[in-house]
Amino acid sequence: LRLMPKDQPVDLNVELRELVFEGRIWDVVRDTFEYSGQTLVRDYIKHPGAVAVLAVNESDEILMIRQYRHPVKKYLWEIPAGLLDIAGESHLDAAKRELTEETYHEAENWELLQVFHASPGGNSEQIDIFLATGVKPVVSDYQREGEEIDMEVRWVPFDEALAAVQASEIQSPTAVIAILGYSNRKK
């Protein structure tokens, strides 16, 4: 009998947690903890988490956005996504909100597609990607600002998006994981 590998949560005793930097969205913390008989100290970004939406229409197109990302100095083709930054809001409700805010669309059907850690060696961020179908335009009074002001929203044929991922022409990890995950589901 061969078991599939499966990530496992571990509850280690953190002896000391220090706030190294308090940011607008995330903080840098320093944890001191015991692991395998050693005292370790690790700095990492404490992140509230995020959600993303792979919206698919009846023509097998996905709703993508083109957004400027300053740390990498690029316009990236992404899927709608956003922070879990409203207290008490479920992950699904956050995904619905982000789809409407970023694309002025809503969806009838929702299911969890994939969950992943963005950069587990130095960041606590977990991203839940939802698959949304039955997508239609909706009127919204949400006012985009910052890098969202000139965001382009476009329906992209799924096969073209998949080819762009395979050619490393789409590099946003959330979009890459969502597109590959959906591709495997379609098989």
Side-chain angles (χ1 to χ4, degrees):
L1 178 70
R2 186 172 168 171
L3 298 176
M4 293 289 294
K6 185 176 179 180
D7 296 345
Q8 299 172 284
V10 178
D11 187 20
L12 298 176
N13 181 40
V14 175
E15 296 171 8
L16 178 65
R17 173 164 289 151
E18 302 168 80
L19 180 63
V20 176
F21 171 80
E22 185 174 8
R24 202 172 56 80
I25 296 171
W26 45 261
D27 300 331
V28 175
V29 296
R30 176 173 294 136
D31 283 356
T32 302
F33 60 99
E34 291 292 320
Y35 185 80
S36 293
Q38 301 176 54
T39 298
L40 302 178
V41 178
R42 297 292 182 262
D43 295 344
Y44 63 94
I45 295 171
K46 186 171 182 284
H47 194 283
V51 294
V53 181
L54 185 71
V56 181
N57 67 16
E58 45 295 325
S59 298
D60 204 31
E61 297 171 317
I62 61 174
L63 194 55
M64 298 196 74
I65 58 175
R66 180 181 165 265
Q67 186 172 359
Y68 176 69
R69 294 299 187 180
H70 188 73
V72 295
K73 312 286 189 294
K74 292 181 180 180
Y75 285 101
L76 295 181
W77 281 99
E78 303 180 346
I79 59 175
L83 297 171
L84 292 167
D85 58 357
I86 296 178
E89 184 178 47
S90 72
H91 293 205
L92 178 57
D93 286 341
K96 290 177 179 181
R97 175 178 52 80
E98 289 296 338
L99 179 63
T100 299
E101 288 178 358
E102 293 193 350
T103 70
Y104 304 129
H105 283 78
E106 63 184 15
E108 292 177 20
N109 310 304
W110 292 85
E111 64 179 284
L112 189 61
L113 178 65
Q114 190 72 45
V115 177
F116 73 101
H117 293 285
S119 183
N123 187 324
S124 68
E125 182 179 20
Q126 175 179 301
I127 301 176
D128 294 3
I129 304 173
F130 289 88
L131 174 63
T133 57
V135 181
K136 62 184 179 192
V138 66
V139 176
S140 173
D141 60 359
Y142 180 75
Q143 297 295 312
R144 295 180 184 151
E145 55 186 39
E147 292 90 343
E148 293 180 351
I149 285 177
D150 64 348
M151 195 165 53
E152 181 180 342
V153 179
R154 183 189 304 171
W155 284 104
V156 176
F158 179 77
D159 289 341
E160 289 180 23
L162 180 59
V165 165
Q166 292 168 331
S168 294
E169 296 168 344
I170 291 177
Q171 297 177 348
S172 166
T174 307
V176 169
I177 290 168
I179 291 165
L180 292 175
Y182 185 65
S183 173
N184 284 334
R185 188 175 277 204
K186 289 175 53 149
K187 289 180 181 177

